């Protein structure tokens, strides 16, 4: 298996622009997670899906952030409009079990987002 | 709210030495995960510990879980430079269906 796939790997944009991050989970994994990592705040869970349905979006920072999972093999995280404080590395992860379940989470390579 | 504390947050050590990273957490849980992150890279799963007293070993790394003390340790034996990385623990809560909280990570540098 190719593992979790994310695109783009790097994104540089200007404040106010829309940004869309993409993720393909490992085939057969029912759970998909979006994380954000910064030096200041560490690794934060933004949202996770089970069988394409959003389960917990309490970590989504504000209405500018939205996530969708139209099918089992694709998810997007959108920021509109983007702000410099959104600059971070965004990871997608997938798993066979819920968070805190018996399976670990498998992380993608991440998207490094810079908002100027 | 579950709190996960790792210590130390930064560790510089010499090759050949032994050391332990500690992961303390604030509420009852028997699900503990260790990850490794190399600079600029993703997180790689190292160990999954699912019961009190669980111990797992891979090469020079050994992880254990004491649920009564709410403590997990990651022990490094005879460290080598290739083990330089940031190590994260994460704790599952809610009975294994609700959430996962990560520690801030331990940045480990192993010098020749």
């Amino acid at each position: 298996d190719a593992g979790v796939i994310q695109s783009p790997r790097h994104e540089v944009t200007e404040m106010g622009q829309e940004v869309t991050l993409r993720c393909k989970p490992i085939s057969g994994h029912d759970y998909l997670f979006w994380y954000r990592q910064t030096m200041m705040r560490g690794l934060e869970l933004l949202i996770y899906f089970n069988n394409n349905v959003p389960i917990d979006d309490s970590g989504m920072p504000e209405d500018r952030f939205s996530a969708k999972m139209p099918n089992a093999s694709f998810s997007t995280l959108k920021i509109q409009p983007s702000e410099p404080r959104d600059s971070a590395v965004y990871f997608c992860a997938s798993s066979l079990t819920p968070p805190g379940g018996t399976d670990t989470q498998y992380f993608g390579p991440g998207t490094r987002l810079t908002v100027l | 709210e579950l709190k996960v504390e790792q210590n130390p947050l930064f560790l510089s050590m010499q090759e050949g030495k032994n050391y332990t990273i500690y992961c303390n957490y604030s509420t009852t849980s028997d699900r503990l995960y260790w990850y490794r992150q190399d600079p600029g890279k993703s997180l790689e799963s190292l160990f999954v510990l699912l019961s009190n007293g669980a111990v797992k070993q891979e090469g020079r790394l050994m992880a254990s879980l004491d649920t009564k003390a709410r403590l997990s340790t990651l022990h490094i034996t005879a460290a080598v430079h290739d083990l330089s990385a940031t190590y994260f623990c994460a704790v599952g809560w809610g009975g294994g269906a609700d959430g996962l909280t990560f520690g801030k990570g331990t940045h480990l540098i192993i010098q020749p």
Side-chain angles (χ1 to χ4, degrees), chain A residues 37 99-102 104-105 107-108, chain B residues 31 33 35 37 42 45 96 99-100:
Chain A
Q37 185 178 39
T102 55
T104 189
Q105 294 183 13
F107 283 75
Chain B
R31 298 175 188 272
Y33 314 78
Y35 293 86
Q37 185 177 34
S42 184
S45 178
L100 188 66

Side-chain angles (χ1 to χ4, degrees), chain B residues 10-21 36 38-39 60-61 74-87 106-112:
Chain B
F10 181 83
L11 175 60
S12 179
M13 57 190 292
Q14 289 186 318
E15 279 190 329
K17 300 291 187 184
N18 302 332
Y19 209 80
T20 301
I21 299 170
R36 168 182 172 150
D38 292 313
R60 301 175 188 273
L61 300 178
L74 180 66
H75 186 72
I76 302 156
T77 301
V80 293
H81 178 67
D82 286 352
L83 290 178
S84 297
T86 298
Y87 292 87
T106 295
H107 183 50
L108 175 63
I109 295 176
I110 300 171
Q111 300 179 1

Side-chain angles (χ1 to χ4, degrees), chain B residues 5-82:
Chain B
E5 292 187 355
Q6 286 184 238
N7 70 82
L9 296 181
F10 181 83
L11 175 60
S12 179
M13 57 190 292
Q14 289 186 318
E15 279 190 329
K17 300 291 187 184
N18 302 332
Y19 209 80
T20 301
I21 299 170
Y22 298 88
C23 175
N24 293 272
Y25 53 96
S26 60
T27 62
T28 301
S29 174
D30 59 0
R31 298 175 188 272
L32 196 295
Y33 314 78
W34 283 97
Y35 293 86
R36 168 182 172 150
Q37 185 177 34
D38 292 313
K41 302 292 186 183
S42 184
L43 280 79
E44 172 192 356
S45 178
L46 293 175
F47 302 110
V48 178
L49 304 169
L50 299 176
S51 62
N52 184 41
V55 177
K56 291 198 175 178
Q57 183 164 3
E58 180 74 32
R60 301 175 188 273
L61 300 178
M62 184 174 71
S64 65
L65 177 60
D66 181 342
T67 59
K68 294 190 172 103
R70 299 178 184 171
L71 171 68
S72 179
T73 61
L74 180 66
H75 186 72
I76 302 156
T77 301
V80 293
H81 178 67
D82 286 352

Side-chain angles (χ1 to χ4, degrees), chain B residues 84-98:
Chain B
S84 297
T86 298
Y87 292 87
F88 292 92
C89 66
V91 180
W93 50 271
D98 287 346

Side-chain angles (χ1 to χ4, degrees), chain A residues 1-2 6 9 12 15 18-19 23 33 41-42 46 51 65-66 68 72 77 80 87 89 91 94 96 116:
Chain A
D1 198 316
Q6 291 186 248
R9 296 290 305 276
V12 180
M15 182 174 63
E18 177 180 296
V19 175
C23 175
F33 309 85
R41 300 176 67 90
L46 300 177
N51 290 326
F65 285 70
S66 63
K68 294 182 180 179
L77 178 67
Q80 166 65 16
S87 298
V89 180
F91 288 105
S94 70
L96 291 168
L116 303 175

